[in-house]
Amino acid sequence: MRKYFIAGNWKMNHSVSETVEFCRQFRVKGLKNISSDIVLFPPSISITSMVKILEDTPVKIGGQNMHKESNGAFTGEISSEMFVDSGCDYILIGHSERRQYFNETNELVNQKLKKALETKLKPVICIGEKLEEREAGKTEDVILKQLKKGLKDITEAEMGNIIIAYEPIWAIGTGLTAKPEQAQEIHGLIRNAIKNDYSEHLGKNLRILYGGSAKVQNAKSLLLEKDIDGLLIGGASLKVNDFYEIIQIAENLTNN
Ligand code: PGA
């Protein structure tokens, strides 16, 4: 039986009060019997409220970004330990918006990744190519480089706690979703790379999410691809009905 992973990346959207309202409506829909892994990544300021409201549900919560140090004079930053203490289980690392607007490099992604693992926060690492890289036929090179540098010195045991999200940058927030077969091609590439670098077993069990304009209308066709294990959803995860509907699509695929 396939257990999907459906995650919502809210980015800088929904205030604390809007988050509380979302969670109330989300709970009422019924979350108890969900078999997929569900994770929400709200703005950090809403984490404690969300943790409290969703406490007795299977929904897990994560941070959108973390600092590589535990504490210190880094105004405005939040450490991995602080996310854990607030009730988070997951952390997004290396989202393309962090890479683009905050100059995050593969090296920094690797440092954050190690820190997250050390503190038992499960990392979801985002990788993906820009439109010009795709058009220049460089997609594979870009992806393999992001994997190689991002996962430098990560052991096989540690890899067991890591999730990879393939998010083609040209598809994020643009309404342009990668076609299921386009996404599958890169998911297959990622899985093979992990099989080669680690082991057949690890590659087989690795969870690889697709992100980039995933929505109700395309969720099923994406999730049916053999190497797509779940979705990292931006815009569509902000609407409780859409997010819940996508979860139901995953549940139906699992149970039928
Ligand atoms: P989107 O964002 O679904 O709004 O394209 C996805 C993401 O950036 O994780």
Side-chain angles (χ1 to χ4, degrees), residues 148-161:
K148 190 164 185 242
K149 295 198 160 184
L151 299 176
K152 187 167 178 278
D153 301 327
I154 301 297
T155 65
E156 175 146 359
E158 288 171 329
M159 274 305 292
N161 289 314

Side-chain angles (χ1 to χ4, degrees), residues 7-11 92 95-97 126 165 167-169 171-176 210-215 232-238:
N9 171 16
W10 283 5
K11 312 187 181 186
L92 283 182
H95 188 279
S96 63
E97 287 150 17
C126 306
E167 300 204 301
I169 296 172
I172 296 180
T174 56
L176 286 176
Y210 168 80
S213 299
K215 49 184 178 252
L232 181 55
I233 309 160
S237 73
L238 293 168

Side-chain angles (χ1 to χ4, degrees), residues 215-217 235-237 239-247:
K215 49 184 178 252
V216 172
Q217 293 81 350
S237 73
K239 297 181 211 127
V240 72
N241 288 338
D242 286 15
F243 190 55
Y244 193 75
E245 206 173 324
I246 296 172
I247 293 170

